[in-house]
Amino acid sequence: MDLFQEQARRNTETDAAWMLYAPHRQRVTQLLLDARISTGERLCLLGAGNLNDLDLTALSASFCEIVLADVDATALQRGLSRQGFSKDARFRVVAPMDVSGVFAEFVDMANRQPVRDDAIDNCLRKLTLLPEIGDPVGFDVVASVGLLTQLIEGVAQSVGETHPRFWETVSAIRTQHLRLMLELTVPGGAAVLVTEVVSSDSCPALQSVDKGDLPGLLKGEIAARNFFTGTNPAALQELLRTDFTLAGQLASTRFTEPWLWQFLTRIYAVYGLTMRKRG
Ligand SMILES: C[S@@+](CC[C@H](N)C(=O)[O-])C[C@H]1O[C@@H](n2cnc3c(N)ncnc32)[C@H](O)[C@@H]1O
């Protein structure tokens, strides 16, 4: 499978979802605005894709410069144009940009099954490095919205979920992603992760749950281990507390209550995590 083409295919499939994403977009945008400190000027959006989950009018009223990074350059152009910002100099597009730096390795491993140990060793070595997104770095807010699951799915599609080193690779790409987000953030700024945790495919109750019952429903699903690998908020919190490359950089972490994201015919339960970097 060509993972680049697959991301582009998915973005094309969801390009017209602007109206459908409205409540999700409002939640994500507000979370980013709330994460901004009063002097914050620069915003970085990782995996911004079609930009259907980001209200650029609201964000550009608060941030002077917005950097958009994605492997899919066409999706970013479509998204900017839909919101009327394709010629706005406040937006800087960094694409195609692989924020993990191992997409090529994933493609290689996907094409050479079964995956050998040395290929995984090489991938893990690369995941100790942080890709550069170009000068100048140092953002007041760095956001990753719906990207973590895509990175983890890249591991599933290449290493394979049944491979004995699947979890080790998932764990490495998740830690690298959090490290990258904090690396790009200025001291006192915030890195904001928004991730899906489970979908209506495996939890049909999401189709009809009342807003007030969602936290309880999600708690039950997580206890029953029905969640996307690598997205359990409790495990993420523990990682942020115990991994010295992350914990030492953090002033605070705050998880939101979950909300629902209508994604075509599927519904995702989603939560946000704001990591405030030490000043
Ligand atoms: C679920 S989409 C995010 C939703 C998107 N903001 C929207 O409104 O449609 C995930 C995005 O991550 C991008 N992506 C996946 N893997 C990536 C990688 N390794 N580096 C950069 N972007 C990646 C995809 O191209 C896609 O645009």
Side-chain angles (χ1 to χ4, degrees), residues 7-8 11 14 21 46-54 69-72 75 97-101 103 145-147 149-151 196 261 263:
Q7 290 300 331
N11 283 334
T14 54
Y21 281 19
L46 301 174
N50 293 322
L51 296 162
N52 278 330
D53 50 15
L54 298 154
D70 202 289
V71 280
D72 186 355
M97 159 82 199
D98 165 21
V99 301
S100 68
F103 228 62
V145 182
L147 173 56
T149 48
Q150 301 305 301
L151 297 175
E196 316 89 285
W261 172 19
F263 179 95

Side-chain angles (χ1 to χ4, degrees), residues 178 181-182 189-191 193 240 250 252-253 273-277:
L178 297 171
M181 291 178 74
L182 288 172
L193 179 84
L240 294 173
L250 290 170
S252 68
T253 56
L273 160 65
T274 301
M275 298 169 277
R276 179 73 54 195
K277 194 165 166 176

